[in-house]
């Protein structure tokens, strides 16, 4: 799992709209990566809507926001259309980026153990280094906290 001040692992992932997004292409600007478990589940929907609504504030602060899950592009497109999301959603169907960022972990729910994405957010500075990490994210208030961290980084 990458730590603060480490170089952020590069990736090239397909996004809705057919565009491949490469982290290295975004160097020079601040990037917020939020990893979420599944499209169209309550917490993931709330988080994605909040990041989408705050999109203009992140853009004004000079940050690009990217949401990543293992869902397919078709699932992402349906999810974005259903909820009017403006945030860029990327598909990591093979899970390599999730593993590179250490968010593919063993989870427990209702007495069952399984592998899944731990809701996490990474703030990456303009030099491609990890500036902040939030693990086991609680959705309420999270977007505001990330936006404040972006302002601290860019001011």
């Amino acid at each position: 799992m990458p730590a603060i001040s480490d170089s952020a692992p590069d990736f090239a992932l397909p996004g809705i709209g057919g565009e491949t997004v490469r982290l290295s292409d975004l160097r020079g600007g601040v990037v917020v990566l939020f990893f979420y478990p599944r499209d169209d589940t309550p917490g993931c929907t709330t988080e994605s809507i909040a990041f989408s609504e705050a999109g203009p504030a992140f853009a004004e602060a000079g940050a690009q926001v990217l949401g990543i899950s293992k869902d397919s592009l078709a699932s992402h497109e349906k999810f974005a259309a259903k909820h009017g999301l403006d945030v860029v959603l990327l598909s990591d169907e093979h899970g390599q980026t999730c593993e590179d960022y250490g968010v593919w972990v063993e989870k427990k729910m209702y007495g069952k153990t399984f592998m899944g994405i731990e809701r996490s957010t990474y703030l990456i500075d303009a030099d491609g280094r990890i500036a902040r990490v939030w693990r086991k994210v609680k959705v309420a208030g999270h977007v505001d906290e990330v936006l404040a961290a972006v302002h601290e980084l860019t001011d």
Side-chain angles (χ1 to χ4, degrees), residues 47-128:
E47 181 180 32
S48 296
I49 289 171
F51 271 116
S52 190
E53 289 175 346
F58 279 101
E60 187 176 306
Q64 169 76 47
V65 179
L66 306 170
I68 301 175
S69 79
K70 289 185 69 172
D71 293 303
S72 68
L73 279 179
S75 176
H76 281 345
E77 287 169 356
K78 183 178 176 185
F79 178 48
K82 179 178 179 181
H83 298 286
L85 302 177
D86 291 330
V87 69
V88 176
L89 300 178
L90 304 176
S91 176
D92 184 27
E93 281 190 276
H94 300 293
Q96 186 61 54
T97 301
C98 291
E99 290 197 27
D100 289 347
Y101 281 84
V103 301
W104 186 248
V105 298
E106 188 175 273
K107 299 170 84 174
K108 292 182 181 183
M109 188 183 313
Y110 305 119
K112 294 186 180 194
T113 301
F114 60 96
M115 294 300 291
I117 294 175
E118 177 180 78
R119 189 181 314 280
S120 305
T121 302
Y122 284 81
L123 176 59
I124 302 168
D125 70 18
D127 295 323

